[in-house]
Amino acid sequence: MMRCLPFLFVALVGSFTLLNGAPAPALPEELDDAEFYTEDGKNVVTCALCATVVEDVMILLQNGTVTDEQIIDYIIDTCAKLNVFTNPDQVCGGLTAIALPTIRYIFSTGVVIPGNICGMLLQGQECGLSDPEPLEWAIAPSSNPKPPFNEPSQPPPDSPTIKVLHLADIHYDPEYLAGANAMCGDPLCCRATSGEVVNATDAAGYWGDYRTCDMPWYLIEDAVSQMATRHPDVGYIIWTGDLTPHDVWSTAKEENIYIIDRLMTLIAQYFPGVPVYPTLGNHESHPVNTFSPPEITDPELSTSWLYDEADRQWARWLPAEVSSTIRYGGFYTALVQPGLRIVSMNMNYCYTLNYWTYYKSQDPASSLLWLNQILEEAELNGEKVHILSHIPPGNGDCWTIFSREFSKIINRFESTVAAQFYGHTHKDEYKVFYDTVELTRPVNVAFIAPSLTTYSKLNPGYRTYTVDGQRPGSTWSVLDFSTFIMNLTEANQRGSEAAPVWSELYQAKQEYGLTDLTPQSMDMLFQRMLTDDALFQLYFKNHHKKADEVVAEGCTNRCKSNLLCRIVTTDIADQSKCENIRHQLFSHPEF
Ligand SMILES: *[C@@H]1O[C@H](CO)[C@@H](O)[C@H](O)[C@H]1NC(C)=O
Ligand SMILES: *[C@@H]1O[C@H](CO)[C@@H](O)[C@H](O)[C@H]1NC(C)=O
Ligand SMILES: *[C@@H]1O[C@H](CO)[C@@H](O)[C@H](O)[C@H]1NC(C)=O
């Protein structure tokens, strides 16, 4: 039953326990993933369970005499019976109270098809959609013919390069308190309000904690200060969102704005004159995960407050002309240098934990249509494009049709999109996109950077990339990358008086024996990991930033196939590559 609970609550209050794929506290590590599967590959939450919950909530919402308080009580009561959180009143009650105006509005419009909710929420589990037709949509393909694809040549030696710093998932918790209870049984602990410490081992570490805790300010400042010292050659910074903590039941707009402002000011101070290209994480909104389409103008429901704030904050780095699309839908494009363009997408519009996805799933804010146009223009102008966003498409938490349409665009513009960059999963990983016709030719790579936060069972980390620089015929592709970590076990052993030690965990080319990071090479790495378990184990340890506990647990069977599946899945509805992986792994004697 324990395993069912995260999804049950997603269904109940349309929310969160799977924040960034992080599990409820008692979930075994091998299920620590955005997708939970049983041994036979099925999701552990049954469709029937989800359907029952949705039905109950619909009945309550449709009854004109049922008050908000009654709905909140019902959810607290259900929460308490299921015994998921130590404080169901606060956690479940808080989440519901925050989200109810949005939920009530969305359901009152009659646009949401209740029989589609579980099929969308548990996509990949084949719950079935009662009425799939209204969910279908497609972006009209570019009318310009696709240019022939030419294998980009590697830059000659001593060509100019750019050093790029990638910040992901900082999750600063202003209330982090060293010594507070780290075993509180709520989605976020290590705060003064987290209850009594009953066992000395339950106390939060000084430099952070491997349990469900976010980042103290002094650790973030230490991290950023050492980044500035270690990487004085940073050309620009990409920053893929999730700045606020996991206290999803007690969020507020003012608090989120305070955190965004404090972190943006910090980065600007330590990296004066360095351009920063940000994007919005699902946690920046209030209620969490809630991003309305632009046609919603009611200030109580609209996400404009956040888009306006993002525009104000980002103006210190971005050109003035980005303002209109940021204020419209939280996305923009900007030229980094002649020849290299960044497109920052708001992929919270594909997030299945965003309530508005159930209201409007057909290209909200027309962001994919816009992407298509920007790429057409870039192609005509001979520019290369780096796409960045928070949520990587293709996983179970990004709506399949959005992922499918995105992949088609990547396919069409494979010669223009030089690389993609994401965060959200907190893990150090990557994805390969394949051509949508033959399904075998690798056409693009998404680099997914590890989180700065330790949430959960992770060392703090960040990435740098070396990118092909300004020269005639530059590919602007990623030539290599490095992941840096702080060993939290060691930092906490040394204590508050000693500065933590940050070190380079690995360099991609050297670590994995690659000559370059082209889609072909990253696909070959995947192929090699299928048969070379030692190589895979290296990837697995890096995936979790070598956090001691996870390394000790190891990764076999389902854990291994899940990790490998994630690399090659860019649309959760297409499991063909995953099925091959499972077949290959599970038919081997050692598995
Ligand atoms: C609405 O809820 C009340 C209890 O709060 C119940 O008595 C009533 O029968 C419900 N009405 C409908 C139409 O279900
Ligand atoms: C305290 O924690 C340690 C280590 O997890 C455990 O061995 C011990 O039994 C715990 N003591 C109590 C009283 O729970
Ligand atoms: C982290 O530090 C602990 C304690 O010193 C050590 O046992 C562990 O091997 C270190 N992990 C890494 C990845 O260096």
Side-chain angles (χ1 to χ4, degrees):
M1 191 57 191
M2 205 46 211
R3 290 178 183 184
C4 312
L5 299 175
F7 266 121
L8 180 60
F9 278 91
V10 168
L12 259 177
V13 281
S15 220
F16 68 100
T17 306
L18 292 177
L19 308 160
N20 303 323
L27 225 63
E29 167 61 23
E30 61 171 18
L31 295 175
D32 176 0
D33 222 323
E35 292 88 40
F36 294 161
Y37 294 101
T38 56
E39 284 308 310
D40 61 355
K42 287 291 174 202
N43 199 300
V44 291
V45 183
T46 66
C47 298
L49 179 61
C50 177
T52 306
V53 171
V54 168
E55 201 174 309
D56 283 356
V57 173
M58 291 303 295
I59 289 171
L60 288 171
L61 288 172
Q62 281 159 1
N63 184 327
T65 69
V66 173
T67 63
D68 283 4
E69 285 65 35
Q70 283 172 306
I71 295 178
I72 292 166
D73 285 347
Y74 161 81
I75 287 174
I76 291 174
D77 191 45
T78 316
C79 230
K81 278 188 195 132
L82 295 167
N83 197 24
V84 222
F85 301 119
T86 306
N87 299 299
D89 284 18
Q90 280 168 39
V91 176
C92 304
L95 260 168
T96 313
I98 291 170
L100 256 181
T102 307
I103 293 174
R104 271 200 187 280
Y105 173 80
I106 289 172
F107 285 96
S108 73
T109 60
V111 173
V112 178
I113 302 164
N116 283 348
I117 293 177
C118 294
M120 292 178 75
L121 188 65
L122 305 178
Q123 53 174 346
Q125 201 195 339
E126 292 156 30
C127 280
L129 302 163
S130 68
D131 191 4
E133 206 185 323
L135 297 177
E136 194 44 67
W137 53 281
I139 300 294
S142 170
S143 50
N144 303 344
K146 180 176 176 175
F149 176 73
N150 298 314
E151 195 71 46
S153 52
Q154 287 300 301
D158 304 321
S159 299
T161 58
I162 313 178
K163 176 70 63 70
V164 178
L165 173 64
H166 186 166
L167 301 172
D169 299 271
I170 294 180
H171 290 287
Y172 158 43
D173 184 5
E175 292 182 42
Y176 186 93
L177 182 66
N181 186 14
M183 296 285 282
C184 72
D186 289 336
L188 184 68
C189 303
C190 299
R191 296 175 142 198
T193 50
S194 298
E196 226 178 295
V197 177
V198 285
N199 189 333
T201 58
D202 294 349
Y206 179 78
W207 292 108
D209 204 282
Y210 286 117
R211 289 161 287 194
T212 54
C213 303
D214 279 321
M215 299 287 277
W217 179 258
Y218 49 83
L219 178 55
I220 296 170
E221 193 160 28
D222 179 81
V224 174
S225 136
Q226 79 79 36
M227 284 173 205
T229 310
R230 187 186 289 256
H231 315 290
D233 53 343
V234 166
Y236 65 92
I237 297 171
I238 54 179
W239 192 352
T240 49
D242 266 12
L243 278 45
T244 58
H246 288 86
D247 63 328
V248 293
W249 69 95
S250 63
T251 56
K253 289 178 186 175
E254 301 69 33
E255 172 87 353
N256 288 9
I257 288 174
Y258 161 78
I259 289 169
I260 293 167
D261 179 65
R262 193 165 190 207
L263 286 170
M264 301 246 150
T265 305
L266 179 77
I267 297 301
Q269 272 168 359
Y270 277 95
F271 290 95
V274 177
V276 178
Y277 298 94
T279 187
L280 286 169
N282 55 298
H283 278 269
E284 268 78 277
S285 70
H286 165 83
V288 69
N289 308 332
T290 308
F291 292 79
S292 68
E295 55 271 27
I296 301 299
T297 52
D298 177 345
E300 203 198 352
L301 304 172
S302 160
T303 311
S304 304
W305 68 275
L306 180 59
Y307 297 155
D308 292 351
E309 180 63 21
D311 184 45
R312 270 192 296 276
Q313 290 286 344
W314 301 350
R316 62 183 115 199
W317 299 300
L318 301 178
E321 62 269 19
V322 299
S323 214
S324 62
T325 53
I326 293 175
R327 285 178 186 257
Y328 181 72
F331 48 84
Y332 65 87
T333 179
L335 205 58
V336 179
Q337 291 187 19
L340 175 61
R341 172 172 297 283
I342 275 186
V343 176
S344 175
M345 296 290 290
N346 180 8
M347 292 210 192
N348 297 299
Y349 281 137
C350 80
Y351 201 34
T352 50
L353 302 192
N354 176 5
Y355 308 104
W356 293 101
T357 303
Y358 298 86
Y359 172 81
K360 181 174 173 61
S361 64
Q362 309 198 342
D363 199 17
S366 307
S367 72
L368 288 183
L369 191 64
W370 173 82
L371 173 66
N372 204 65
Q373 278 164 12
I374 297 297
L375 292 174
E376 273 182 358
E377 285 164 26
E379 182 179 274
L380 289 173
N381 294 331
E383 294 165 353
K384 300 291 180 192
V385 168
H386 287 181
I387 294 177
L388 62 97
S389 194
H390 178 65
I391 298 176
N395 292 339
D397 57 0
C398 180
W399 175 230
T400 163
I401 295 179
F402 185 104
S403 296
R404 182 195 69 196
E405 293 304 305
F406 181 81
S407 277
K408 288 195 327 212
I409 294 174
I410 293 301
N411 229 260
R412 165 62 186 81
F413 294 100
E414 61 174 302
S415 305
T416 296
V417 178
Q420 305 173 49
F421 304 90
Y422 303 94
H424 183 59
T425 69
H426 294 194
K427 311 286 169 40
D428 188 279
E429 53 184 338
Y430 74 100
K431 272 189 195 296
V432 178
F433 286 68
Y434 296 86
D435 79 285
T436 46
V437 182
E438 307 274 322
L439 308 174
T440 49
R441 190 172 60 85
V443 297
N444 225 263
V445 178
F447 297 94
I448 303 172
S451 61
L452 197 64
T453 187
T454 54
Y455 193 104
S456 56
K457 293 192 188 180
L458 297 168
N459 285 320
Y462 67 92
R463 279 261 183 93
T464 62
Y465 303 91
T466 306
V467 172
D468 192 4
Q470 188 64 260
R471 64 182 174 89
S474 177
T475 62
W476 299 104
S477 57
V478 173
L479 303 174
D480 205 354
F481 69 80
S482 293
T483 289
F484 295 82
I485 64 157
M486 184 200 91
N487 183 339
L488 180 63
T489 311
E490 189 188 79
N492 279 340
Q493 277 168 3
R494 286 154 48 102
S496 61
E497 297 305 313
V501 178
W502 292 83
S503 58
E504 190 176 45
L505 182 61
Y506 71 95
Q507 293 174 9
K509 275 167 67 172
Q510 189 186 33
E511 183 85 337
Y512 298 125
L514 301 165
T515 52
D516 54 52
L517 304 190
T518 58
Q520 292 71 22
S521 296
M522 297 309 276
D523 172 60
M524 274 306 295
L525 172 59
F526 158 74
Q527 303 284 353
R528 282 158 57 216
M529 286 195 282
L530 266 176
T531 52
D532 180 346
D533 189 58
L535 181 68
F536 169 76
Q537 293 302 331
L538 202 58
Y539 179 77
F540 158 70
K541 287 172 193 163
N542 291 335
H543 185 264
H544 282 80
K545 293 174 273 179
K546 283 213 174 124
D548 293 328
E549 190 185 333
V550 179
V551 168
E553 281 168 9
C555 180
T556 55
N557 298 333
R558 184 138 308 284
C559 163
K560 181 170 179 176
S561 72
N562 278 351
L563 249 59
L564 291 172
C565 274
R566 290 172 73 87
I567 297 176
V568 293
T569 305
T570 55
D571 170 7
I572 190 78
D574 178 3
Q575 288 286 307
S576 53
K577 286 199 150 51
C578 261
E579 271 152 27
N580 289 341
I581 293 168
R582 288 191 201 110
H583 181 76
Q584 193 162 338
L585 292 183
F586 295 123
S587 60
H588 254 255
E590 66 261 36
F591 295 105

PDB file of all heavy atoms in Angstrom, residues 198-202, ligand 2:
ATOM      1  N   VAL A 198      14.190  12.519  18.182  1.00  0.00           N
ATOM      2  CA  VAL A 198      14.109  11.460  19.189  1.00  0.00           C
ATOM      3  C   VAL A 198      15.392  10.642  19.276  1.00  0.00           C
ATOM      4  O   VAL A 198      15.681  10.035  20.296  1.00  0.00           O
ATOM      5  CB  VAL A 198      12.911  10.508  18.937  1.00  0.00           C
ATOM      6  CG1 VAL A 198      11.610  11.170  19.317  1.00  0.00           C
ATOM      7  CG2 VAL A 198      12.880  10.019  17.510  1.00  0.00           C
ATOM      8  N   ASN A 199      16.174  10.639  18.219  1.00  0.00           N
ATOM      9  CA  ASN A 199      17.396   9.854  18.180  1.00  0.00           C
ATOM     10  C   ASN A 199      18.473  10.779  17.613  1.00  0.00           C
ATOM     11  O   ASN A 199      18.215  11.467  16.620  1.00  0.00           O
ATOM     12  CB  ASN A 199      17.149   8.654  17.249  1.00  0.00           C
ATOM     13  CG  ASN A 199      18.273   7.648  17.306  1.00  0.00           C
ATOM     14  OD1 ASN A 199      19.417   7.994  17.599  1.00  0.00           O
ATOM     15  ND2 ASN A 199      17.949   6.400  17.003  1.00  0.00           N
ATOM     16  N   ALA A 200      19.653  10.769  18.203  1.00  0.00           N
ATOM     17  CA  ALA A 200      20.707  11.689  17.749  1.00  0.00           C
ATOM     18  C   ALA A 200      20.952  11.573  16.238  1.00  0.00           C
ATOM     19  O   ALA A 200      21.280  12.553  15.580  1.00  0.00           O
ATOM     20  CB  ALA A 200      21.994  11.420  18.514  1.00  0.00           C
ATOM     21  N   THR A 201      20.770  10.369  15.688  1.00  0.00           N
ATOM     22  CA  THR A 201      21.023  10.189  14.254  1.00  0.00           C
ATOM     23  C   THR A 201      19.947  10.861  13.390  1.00  0.00           C
ATOM     24  O   THR A 201      20.106  10.965  12.184  1.00  0.00           O
ATOM     25  CB  THR A 201      21.083   8.689  13.881  1.00  0.00           C
ATOM     26  OG1 THR A 201      19.840   8.090  14.272  1.00  0.00           O
ATOM     27  CG2 THR A 201      22.234   7.988  14.560  1.00  0.00           C
ATOM     28  N   ASP A 202      18.872  11.287  14.008  1.00  0.00           N
ATOM     29  CA  ASP A 202      17.805  11.963  13.254  1.00  0.00           C
ATOM     30  C   ASP A 202      18.068  13.455  13.057  1.00  0.00           C
ATOM     31  O   ASP A 202      17.301  14.145  12.384  1.00  0.00           O
ATOM     32  CB  ASP A 202      16.449  11.824  13.984  1.00  0.00           C
ATOM     33  CG  ASP A 202      15.962  10.382  14.039  1.00  0.00           C
ATOM     34  OD1 ASP A 202      16.557   9.540  13.337  1.00  0.00           O
ATOM     35  OD2 ASP A 202      15.007  10.109  14.787  1.00  0.00           O
TER      36      ASP A 202
HETATM   37  C1  LIG B   2      18.885   5.353  16.881  1.00  0.00           C
HETATM   38  O1  LIG B   2      19.417   5.189  15.556  1.00  0.00           O
HETATM   39  C2  LIG B   2      20.352   4.136  15.423  1.00  0.00           C
HETATM   40  C3  LIG B   2      20.950   4.189  14.036  1.00  0.00           C
HETATM   41  O2  LIG B   2      19.941   4.335  13.060  1.00  0.00           O
HETATM   42  C4  LIG B   2      19.672   2.823  15.721  1.00  0.00           C
HETATM   43  O3  LIG B   2      20.600   1.765  15.638  1.00  0.00           O
HETATM   44  C5  LIG B   2      19.062   2.886  17.117  1.00  0.00           C
HETATM   45  O4  LIG B   2      18.311   1.706  17.371  1.00  0.00           O
HETATM   46  C6  LIG B   2      18.154   4.098  17.275  1.00  0.00           C
HETATM   47  N1  LIG B   2      17.703   4.228  18.647  1.00  0.00           N
HETATM   48  C7  LIG B   2      16.411   4.407  18.972  1.00  0.00           C
HETATM   49  C8  LIG B   2      16.112   4.562  20.421  1.00  0.00           C
HETATM   50  O5  LIG B   2      15.521   4.446  18.128  1.00  0.00           O
END
